[in-house]
Amino acid sequence: MPKRRDIVAIVLIVLPWTLLITVWHQSTITPLLATRKDDRRDGRSNSRNTFAFKESCSLQNRDIVEVVRTEYVYSRPPPWSDVLPTIHVITPTYSRPVQKAELTRLANTLLHVPNLHWILVEDSQRRTTLVSHLLQETGLNYTHLNVETPRNYKVRGDTRDPRIPRGTIQRNLALRWLRETFSPNSSQSGVVYFADDDNTYSLELFEEMRSTKKVSVWPVAFVGGLRYESPKVNTLGKVYGWKTVFDPHRPFAIDMAGFAVNMRLILSKPQAYFKLRGVKGGYQESSLLKELVTLNDLEPKAANCTKVLVWHTRTEKPVLVNEGKKGFTDSNVEI
């Protein structure tokens, strides 16, 4: 039988080691648990319907991979501000295989722009279900219009007369809607921008145009057979010409995506529309702008027109030869 003195000695030796091991174990496990909780909390606010895979420490000589279900929380569009001018984005669109893809991409950009109103105008006899549903699902502030282009102005086969301006009637309808909806004496400030659905836009572009006093301008990439076209700006920050090869002597040798107009200027000049007849190819922009401003009134943006913030991209026409005349896939499925 061990003596009481020996038992006390054993307890005094074992107890400190037991306490030391317990403290070490708690200091190792607690940060791991805290990190795991923080990861779950962060994951809920930064991802949608996704799975996060995390490797935990080795437990009982086995590596365990933990799968954490997370949910996405995103408020769209950005909160409306009573201070910022509203950007009215006018987009003409027409039915084609890539229409929904183009509009989805553009909508995903516009969702990040505060105080934005999207005016989408279909080239059709009626507003289509596809576009109506898409607009409703975006959560954007929008107006949905439609007007069909007359047959004598439409594309014939795979060739198009360059004198026939696509989207002109649709843009003019949007301008008319703005003038019928807002009073020229309205205190609401705003900017009007013509954004085709096949272009690519930097978010910085929308913040640049928001301060437009009359008409602001900037470069556009992939137009006119060049890397980019641009207004020419002198050392005083004034536009004095156009950096383009195609007909540089046009009054305003600029692409549709290369300018924005102050809303009050649009409302105060009711005669200003895009001309449909008697206008050569490339002169559509000039037909509107010459009714609004002179060259000296233009406001160069994008670091005095030294930065490209919009690209005239186009989605490749899809190859659907295997569909056949009757269609191989279900035509009721939207693409």
Side-chain angles (χ1 to χ4, degrees):
M1 292 290 295
K3 296 181 179 180
R4 179 176 298 178
R5 184 178 57 186
D6 295 335
I7 294 174
V8 171
I10 293 172
V11 170
L12 291 176
I13 293 173
V14 172
L15 184 60
W17 280 103
T18 303
L19 292 174
L20 182 62
I21 292 172
T22 302
V23 171
W24 174 82
H25 184 266
Q26 288 293 333
S27 65
T28 303
I29 295 300
T30 302
L32 290 176
L33 294 175
T35 300
R36 193 168 299 170
K37 290 179 181 178
D38 290 341
D39 287 344
R40 289 195 183 102
R41 184 164 55 250
D42 293 341
R44 279 197 296 269
S45 61
N46 293 320
S47 61
R48 181 177 193 176
N49 297 330
T50 58
F51 292 97
F53 296 89
K54 304 187 182 82
E55 289 188 6
S56 64
C57 61
S58 178
L59 184 60
Q60 295 181 354
N61 298 325
R62 289 182 301 177
D63 289 334
I64 299 176
V65 177
E66 180 184 8
V67 182
V68 181
R69 178 80 181 191
T70 60
E71 58 186 86
Y72 184 63
V73 178
Y74 172 54
S75 176
R76 57 180 188 175
W80 195 272
S81 169
D82 294 330
V83 179
L84 290 176
T86 301
I87 299 177
H88 301 274
V89 174
I90 296 174
T91 301
T93 187
Y94 64 99
S95 179
R96 61 200 190 277
V98 297
Q99 182 185 27
K100 186 176 182 181
E102 301 275 34
L103 292 175
T104 298
R105 180 177 61 176
L106 178 54
N108 287 341
T109 298
L110 300 182
L111 277 167
H112 296 278
V113 183
N115 285 43
L116 184 136
H117 172 216
W118 195 12
I119 306 176
L120 195 59
V121 191
E122 290 194 73
D123 185 350
S124 61
Q125 292 183 343
R126 61 188 61 84
R127 285 172 287 183
T128 64
T129 302
L130 184 150
V131 175
S132 296
H133 287 172
L134 184 144
L135 285 170
Q136 292 169 9
E137 290 173 358
T138 64
L140 286 163
N141 301 288
Y142 71 86
T143 297
H144 188 187
L145 306 173
N146 70 285
V147 59
E148 187 176 29
T149 301
R151 289 185 178 182
N152 57 315
Y153 285 103
K154 284 192 173 182
V155 178
R156 296 177 178 86
D158 292 331
T159 60
R160 184 163 66 93
D161 188 333
R163 294 172 296 177
I164 299 175
R166 173 180 282 167
T168 300
I169 295 178
Q170 288 72 36
R171 296 185 187 99
N172 282 343
L173 177 62
L175 290 175
R176 191 180 78 183
W177 183 90
L178 285 171
R179 288 168 176 143
E180 291 176 350
T181 305
F182 298 96
S183 168
N185 300 322
S186 173
S187 60
Q188 184 181 11
S189 58
V191 177
V192 178
Y193 181 53
F194 302 95
D196 289 351
D197 59 8
D198 57 352
N199 291 344
T200 303
Y201 306 90
S202 167
L203 294 178
E204 185 181 350
L205 175 66
F206 297 97
E207 297 314 310
E208 288 277 315
M209 72 175 70
R210 204 183 290 274
S211 60
T212 300
K213 296 177 181 177
K214 287 188 176 181
V215 173
S216 55
V217 294
W218 47 79
V220 179
F222 311 141
V223 290
L226 298 172
R227 293 176 62 243
Y228 68 92
E229 289 183 341
S230 173
K232 292 180 179 178
V233 182
N234 62 25
T235 55
L236 299 176
K238 287 292 189 178
V239 175
Y240 68 92
W242 309 97
K243 189 180 297 182
T244 180
V245 174
F246 171 68
D247 202 350
H249 301 295
R250 286 172 287 164
F252 296 91
I254 193 170
D255 185 79
M256 194 69 70
F259 67 93
V261 185
N262 184 282
M263 177 73 159
R264 289 198 182 98
L265 185 60
I266 289 287
L267 299 178
S268 66
K269 302 280 188 177
Q271 79 284 0
Y273 282 100
F274 293 102
K275 300 298 184 292
L276 189 62
R277 297 179 178 85
V279 179
K280 295 192 299 183
Y283 279 74
Q284 276 293 304
E285 296 82 357
S286 295
S287 72
L288 174 74
L289 291 174
K290 70 182 182 180
E291 298 288 341
L292 299 172
V293 289
T294 64
L295 193 69
N296 192 56
D297 293 323
L298 298 180
E299 308 154 41
K301 299 290 186 180
N304 269 343
C305 295
T306 61
K307 294 175 65 177
V308 172
L309 301 176
V310 55
W311 298 261
H312 206 286
T313 50
R314 294 182 181 180
T315 300
E316 183 180 357
K317 186 177 180 180
V319 179
L320 305 174
V321 293
N322 289 330
E323 285 290 337
K325 292 183 178 180
K326 294 183 178 180
F328 181 81
T329 56
D330 186 352
S331 61
N332 294 317
V333 176
E334 286 185 359
I335 58 171

